[in-house]
Amino acid sequence: MSSISRREMLGSAALVGGWMALGPGLALGQQTVPQTSANEDGGPYRLPPLPYGYADLEPFLDVQTMKLHHDVHHAGYVRGANAAVAELEAVRHGGGESIKRVRAVTDQLAFTLSGHLLHTLFFSSMTKDGGGDPPSDSDAGKMIKRDFGSFDAFRANLAAVAKQVQGSGWGVLVYEPTAQRLLVLQAEKHQNLGVWGAVPLLALDVWEHAYYLQYQNRRTEFIKAFMEVINWASVEERLQIALQLATLNS
Ligand code: MN3
């Protein structure tokens, strides 16, 4: 099913609403880009290699955009999360007034760690020769039809959410286990991503760094290009894990 066990998945999902279950351990496909040194600081988080080559998403996403996005922006979130974890440790053990900084440092951890996990999801949400519709006999295909009406209606929902994000943010397809349905959420401030317990299945990054080099201010064109590289196999794998989560209804 996946490279992580169900026990690990349920344990970590209980802690962080499913985010960790879908983290770096689930990197899919052939890892053609070498591991970078973003975790030289010894922290718990590492930059997962791209699960494909820098040029594999051409012409929809060009090499320069992919390199900047993965090697600079995603790596920055990883370094930031490791720094925040180290800082939290220092704050906890600092004595005296030190603990007063815990709010600011926890904020920093939420921002950088959510950024790291969403970028991991974003890069594995795409693949060479992706896009189109999910197989109609897959659970992702069946549930998208049931919950959105059609594949076109799903794409229209995701595109509208991503286009309407004010400034930086994300469009995210999630499995919401209480009603056992799929939803598309908008995450403008990703450190505040709501709907606790929702399990992210696919992420569309609409921060300007995701597309500006290639598409400038034409976010709509970038969103259209993203639809051509969606990795439906990855969505299906994440959905299969999500479907096994215990729910409040059961
Ligand atoms: Mn980004």
Side-chain angles (χ1 to χ4, degrees):
M1 180 180 75
S2 85
S3 51
I4 56 174
S5 75
R6 178 176 158 81
R7 187 162 160 267
E8 276 173 322
M9 178 193 76
L10 293 176
S12 53
L15 286 176
V16 289
W19 280 107
M20 294 305 291
L22 301 163
L26 206 65
L28 298 171
Q30 224 169 6
Q31 302 185 342
T32 52
V33 179
Q35 174 74 40
T36 74
S37 55
N39 63 339
E40 273 175 1
D41 53 19
Y45 304 108
R46 66 175 185 88
L47 179 65
L50 273 186
Y52 35 74
Y54 290 113
D56 280 353
L57 304 184
E58 296 263 19
F60 305 107
L61 283 168
D62 64 21
V63 170
Q64 205 187 359
T65 298
M66 293 303 290
K67 277 193 171 163
L68 179 86
H69 200 174
H70 178 267
D71 299 359
V72 178
H73 287 276
H74 189 174
Y77 279 109
V78 174
R79 274 195 305 275
N82 283 332
V85 165
E87 189 68 12
L88 263 184
E89 184 81 9
V91 161
R92 279 194 298 261
H93 296 108
E97 299 286 288
S98 171
I99 197 68
K100 287 189 176 167
R101 289 172 46 235
V102 77
R103 193 203 66 78
V105 179
T106 303
D107 253 19
Q108 199 54 28
L109 179 64
F111 179 75
T112 52
L113 184 52
S114 296
H116 166 38
L117 298 177
L118 277 164
H119 277 98
T120 302
L121 179 60
F122 172 69
F123 288 119
S124 67
S125 292
M126 301 183 288
T127 188
K128 187 178 168 66
D129 303 321
D133 295 339
S136 44
D137 60 347
S138 66
D139 283 341
K142 288 182 208 160
M143 289 178 71
I144 284 173
K145 264 196 179 147
R146 185 194 70 183
D147 296 341
F148 294 92
S150 68
F151 299 134
D152 281 343
F154 158 73
R155 278 186 285 266
N157 187 334
L158 178 62
V161 152
K163 191 176 166 186
Q164 291 168 34
V165 166
Q166 289 186 330
S168 304
W170 307 79
V172 188
L173 173 65
V174 301
Y175 172 69
E176 194 287 287
T178 305
Q180 304 184 341
R181 292 179 70 85
L182 301 183
L183 294 169
V184 169
L185 302 178
Q186 187 180 52
E188 285 184 3
K189 296 183 175 62
H190 65 218
Q191 66 272 40
N192 300 342
L193 183 60
V195 190
W196 292 100
V199 181
L201 304 174
L202 169 155
L204 168 49
D205 188 345
V206 287
W207 287 59
E208 284 187 345
H209 67 238
Y211 60 90
Y212 216 83
L213 279 176
Q214 190 177 355
Y215 293 97
Q216 289 81 50
N217 61 338
R218 302 188 306 279
R219 183 187 286 187
T220 307
E221 270 180 48
F222 163 67
I223 290 168
K224 220 174 141 190
F226 176 83
M227 302 298 177
E228 301 298 328
V229 293
I230 287 180
N231 184 349
W232 285 114
S234 168
V235 171
E236 181 68 14
E237 182 170 5
R238 291 170 189 281
L239 178 60
Q240 289 304 321
I241 295 171
L243 287 171
Q244 296 182 51
L245 288 173
T247 76
L248 295 174
N249 277 349
S250 59

